[in-house]
Amino acid sequence: MYGAASVLNARTVLKLFICLQTETQSLKPTPNLLTLISKTISCTPIQETALSIALLNSANPDIVRVAETHLKSCLRELIESYVESDPGSNVEGSLNDVSPEFLQQILSLISYGKHTTYGLSDQTYERFRHQLCRDFPRDRVPLILAPLLYAENSEISAEILKINTHSILQSSIMKTSWSNLVVEVGYTFTATLDDCRNHLLKVGGREITPQDVAKIVSSMCLTHETLSESNINLQTPSAFWPQGSSDPSGQKSKDGNGGSSASENTTWKPEVLVQALKEVVPNLNWKEVCLALDHPEFMLKDRAGLSLLLTIVKMGMQSSNIGQNFPVECLYQRWTNVEGQLSIISQILKNQDLYSFADHIYTSVSLELLKTPPETDNKEVASWMSLHLVDVLLYIADHANLSEKVMKIFKVPGALCPDILFLALLQINPPMTTARQELFTNLVPIFLSNHPNAGTILHHAWNHSTFNVTLRPIILHAMSDWYMVGEGDQSRLSRILDVAQDLKALSNLLNIRTYMFIIDLACLASRREYLKLEKWLADKIRDHGEPFVKTILKFLQRRCPQIMGGKYNEEQIPKSAQLPPETLSTILNCLQACIGNCTPEVAEM
């Protein structure tokens, strides 16, 4: 329906869609079906013709027969009204009001002696062609109409393209994106070197830019296998050239139509594209092509797409003698199409046998502080030695719709090499973004769990000259959260106390607002003689009042249920979790001292 659908407005398309939903199910087409539909939805003559042409591709043979019959009458009437119209007139709903693509559809149906099939006399057909040639002179004819209007000399030279660039660009075919054009032509675009070269010359001339090439490559990477599986009726060179004639390169194809057999073209041929570009655009800069991948249509969805991209770029770089591999610095830029940028980065990380960031590191994470060096011989680990990789992922994560995907990617180094990732986050320049804070929060608990580089990492983070103001609260709350998740596990509490003492951060930690945690921590610290529990409790009760007192009572219910009147089972509370008598006595004395200032509700607890 390419071309045909474009002449129908949105309201009409919606109506047609509803009508055709039952096409292959319960619809019993009658000879006057399309006449009734056209009248019902008030089609103009051009829309009526477009509908008939579109239905020629129906899967229902009965619908096709009805469309063919109806087209013979409406197409004849449309063409006759066009040739009878005054020169220069532009009546709405007539052929003066359509795109070159739709005219190409009509010409393909009636050219090469087929006009009589649609009831057109030789005289009417010749007048029609003559009038189109008048409206589209040879030097300004849209490219898709040239083989049909000027078949005797349809080769449009690069010089004409250059001279008439402005007028040609006004045609709809030039407004269509490279991506659409490549997909419409299909795999025959790279069937042979001649095919590819001629497609490039006819549409782009010799002024093909790196941006154009990037769009061609992007389209190929997205459709490396889907075109052959789809139901789209892709146009091939045979749609533009008469049966048995030569293609623009002057060569016959195996099917006799100037193009390669469709059955032989099941995917793109990168070597053909690169060689054709080398001949058409010998000074093409492939690094600029890679930079130009930052366009709205770029996206990689699978390993095969990545492989095709890397192959094309490698061949292109080699043909230009400027390198062997994909220039990774292009991926470290700040892209506008961040979703496309993330797609290629994630595919590379999943397929490191094809390409690895570990082999292309510009600024490496400094590991001099670490006592136990990570296993950087593993490429999956070594990739995260690239500060640029971590930096660009943080940039992408700032986009709300991609944050979750980026954080999922960061889970890999978080599990494999958290020390490398943590140091990378410290060594990248500010600002402290939301994503970076979240990563720090997720990583700190790993180093609380006796990681071999825990002491070095946490000490460096706590005393970091740039980020310590932000990192210290993160570390403190990570300790609290780790304890709470462990449901009061005393081994975790002991580890937290050791780390806090090493960082000289115990006083900071005991000032956070997770009361249950700091009460338990203070009890352990007092047993190690790091603080005087009685004074600490008295100060907290004075500062925080009843909420803190209530938490002390809940703490006693959990750790000493026997004194709170609850059922007590020694197996429920391990010996290590039981409060020593002196600690319990201190807590009870503090509660007794403040009970007179509490409400009756708290006093009764």
Side-chain angles (χ1 to χ4, degrees):
M1 292 177 65
Y2 176 73
S6 64
V7 300
L8 301 175
N9 60 37
R11 181 168 172 266
T12 303
V13 170
L14 178 60
K15 291 178 179 179
L16 293 180
F17 179 76
I18 294 171
C19 291
L20 298 177
Q21 282 304 295
T22 57
E23 171 191 331
T24 58
Q25 300 174 18
S26 60
L27 186 63
K28 302 296 182 182
T30 59
N32 63 342
L33 172 66
L34 293 186
T35 302
L36 292 174
I37 291 178
S38 299
K39 289 181 178 179
T40 301
I41 61 178
S42 304
C43 282
T44 64
I46 192 67
Q47 291 171 339
E48 188 175 356
T49 303
L51 173 59
S52 301
I53 292 176
L55 291 180
L56 292 178
N57 297 312
S58 171
N60 187 328
D62 294 331
I63 291 288
V64 174
R65 282 192 290 272
V66 170
E68 288 175 342
T69 302
H70 189 71
L71 186 60
K72 289 179 181 179
S73 61
C74 65
L75 181 58
R76 184 185 70 251
E77 293 172 3
L78 182 67
I79 291 175
E80 287 176 348
S81 67
Y82 173 71
V83 298
E84 296 296 335
S85 63
D86 295 331
S89 65
N90 189 19
V91 180
E92 184 178 357
S94 72
L95 281 177
N96 302 84
D97 195 34
V98 300
S99 67
E101 289 90 347
F102 187 63
L103 287 175
Q104 181 265 327
Q105 294 270 0
I106 293 176
L107 284 170
S108 296
L109 289 172
I110 65 175
S111 295
Y112 316 121
K114 293 183 288 184
H115 58 276
T116 56
T117 304
Y118 295 92
L120 294 172
S121 65
D122 292 343
Q123 182 182 9
T124 301
Y125 172 67
E126 287 303 323
R127 288 181 64 190
F128 178 57
R129 284 188 73 255
H130 177 76
Q131 197 151 323
L132 286 176
C133 290
R134 181 200 65 199
D135 292 341
F136 299 102
R138 189 187 303 272
D139 60 344
R140 296 199 306 273
V141 61
L143 295 173
I144 57 173
L145 297 183
L148 297 162
L149 293 180
Y150 302 101
E152 72 283 358
N153 184 20
S154 59
E155 184 70 27
I156 300 178
S157 67
E159 287 71 27
I160 293 177
L161 281 172
K162 289 179 181 178
I163 293 171
N164 299 286
T165 297
H166 178 74
S167 60
I168 292 175
L169 285 175
Q170 298 309 307
S171 71
S172 296
I173 187 65
M174 295 308 293
K175 292 178 182 177
T176 304
S177 71
W178 267 106
S179 301
N180 290 340
L181 290 170
V182 170
V183 171
E184 285 160 13
V185 173
Y187 296 137
T188 55
F189 190 90
T190 58
T192 67
L193 181 58
D194 285 340
D195 286 334
C196 192
R197 181 173 55 244
N198 282 303
H199 283 306
L200 292 171
L201 284 171
K202 281 188 171 295
V203 180
R206 294 189 180 272
E207 295 183 0
I208 296 175
T209 65
Q211 290 73 23
D212 295 330
V213 177
K215 291 177 181 178
I216 293 172
V217 173
S218 300
S219 181
M220 290 180 172
C221 292
L222 267 180
T223 58
H224 56 84
E225 62 179 3
T226 54
L227 291 184
S228 58
E229 298 173 354
S230 70
N231 293 322
I232 300 173
N233 185 20
L234 296 172
Q235 299 186 36
T236 62
S238 60
F240 303 104
W241 300 90
Q243 294 291 325
S245 69
S246 298
D247 71 1
S249 66
Q251 295 183 350
K252 288 275 188 175
S253 70
K254 293 182 180 180
D255 63 3
N257 294 327
S260 299
S261 173
S263 62
E264 294 181 359
N265 302 311
T266 57
T267 190
W268 309 107
K269 298 178 181 177
E271 68 281 2
V272 171
L273 174 68
V274 172
Q275 183 59 35
L277 285 169
K278 185 176 182 180
E279 295 181 13
V280 176
V281 199
N283 296 321
L284 179 66
N285 187 322
W286 278 91
K287 284 190 176 181
E288 291 184 9
V289 171
C290 293
L291 285 171
L293 291 173
D294 180 14
H295 64 88
E297 298 168 10
F298 177 77
M299 179 67 64
L300 282 185
K301 293 187 176 180
D302 52 27
R303 175 185 172 89
L306 172 64
S307 179
L308 180 59
L309 173 64
L310 295 175
T311 300
I312 292 173
V313 172
K314 182 177 182 178
M315 290 179 174
M317 298 280 282
Q318 290 175 339
S319 70
S320 304
N321 297 316
I322 57 174
Q324 296 285 328
N325 298 300
F326 187 96
V328 72
E329 63 270 22
C330 298
L331 297 180
Y332 295 152
Q333 305 293 320
R334 296 296 195 254
W335 283 29
T336 301
N337 177 14
V338 287
E339 189 171 4
Q341 184 178 22
L342 182 60
S343 74
I344 183 173
I345 291 174
S346 60
Q347 285 299 326
I348 288 174
L349 290 171
K350 291 176 185 176
N351 300 283
Q352 302 210 37
D353 57 321
L354 297 180
Y355 189 92
S356 176
F357 290 112
D359 299 326
H360 307 279
I361 294 177
Y362 287 89
T363 304
S364 181
V365 179
S366 174
L367 304 179
E368 295 176 358
L369 295 171
L370 300 183
K371 296 179 180 178
T372 307
E375 297 180 4
T376 52
D377 291 339
N378 180 346
K379 281 194 173 184
E380 200 170 2
V381 171
S383 292
W384 296 101
M385 289 290 292
S386 171
L387 280 177
H388 288 92
L389 173 60
V390 177
D391 187 32
V392 76
L393 285 173
L394 289 176
Y395 161 73
I396 296 172
D398 281 342
H399 299 76
N401 61 320
L402 297 176
S403 177
E404 186 176 343
K405 292 182 179 179
V406 174
M407 299 310 290
K408 186 176 180 180
I409 290 174
F410 274 128
K411 285 183 179 180
V412 175
L416 289 176
C417 49
D419 41 6
I420 292 179
L421 179 57
F422 201 101
L423 288 176
L425 294 171
L426 287 176
Q427 292 169 23
I428 292 171
N429 292 330
M432 174 66 80
T433 61
T434 302
R436 199 183 319 204
Q437 289 187 48
E438 184 178 345
L439 285 169
F440 278 130
T441 301
N442 294 338
L443 289 171
V444 168
I446 296 174
F447 300 106
L448 294 175
S449 303
N450 290 314
H451 187 279
N453 288 317
T456 303
I457 291 289
L458 292 174
H459 190 273
H460 187 55
W462 185 262
N463 296 291
H464 196 273
S465 58
T466 304
F467 296 128
N468 64 337
V469 174
T470 306
L471 279 175
R472 287 187 176 187
I474 289 175
I475 293 172
L476 295 175
H477 285 93
M479 291 179 178
S480 170
D481 293 342
W482 191 57
Y483 163 85
M484 298 301 289
V485 169
E487 297 181 347
D489 183 349
Q490 293 300 294
S491 63
R492 290 194 177 198
L493 190 69
S494 178
R495 169 65 179 162
I496 289 170
L497 183 57
D498 290 340
V499 171
Q501 276 295 95
D502 183 56
L503 297 177
K504 297 181 173 58
L506 182 57
S507 60
N508 303 76
L509 189 56
L510 289 171
N511 280 324
I512 67 174
R513 293 301 185 97
T514 311
Y515 294 157
M516 185 69 74
F517 164 62
I518 62 174
I519 291 169
D520 206 353
L521 182 64
C523 291
L524 179 60
S526 72
R527 294 202 297 273
R528 296 187 184 179
E529 299 183 350
Y530 294 155
L531 60 76
K532 293 185 179 296
L533 183 59
E534 186 174 2
K535 182 180 185 308
W536 184 85
L537 285 172
D539 290 343
K540 290 296 179 183
I541 291 171
R542 184 189 67 242
D543 294 340
H544 303 296
E546 283 195 7
F548 193 81
V549 173
K550 288 181 179 180
T551 306
I552 294 176
L553 294 172
K554 290 179 181 178
F555 173 74
L556 291 176
Q557 286 174 345
R558 190 179 73 181
R559 297 290 297 276
C560 300
Q562 68 274 24
I563 69 165
M564 301 298 291
K567 294 182 179 180
Y568 172 63
N569 186 340
E570 290 188 3
E571 295 180 358
Q572 290 179 335
I573 304 178
K575 190 172 183 179
S576 61
Q578 296 176 18
L579 288 176
E582 60 273 19
T583 302
L584 179 58
S585 176
T586 300
I587 294 174
L588 292 175
N589 288 337
C590 288
L591 288 174
Q592 190 67 36
C594 73
I595 200 71
N597 298 322
C598 295
T599 62
E601 178 189 355
V602 174
E604 290 176 3
M605 291 178 65

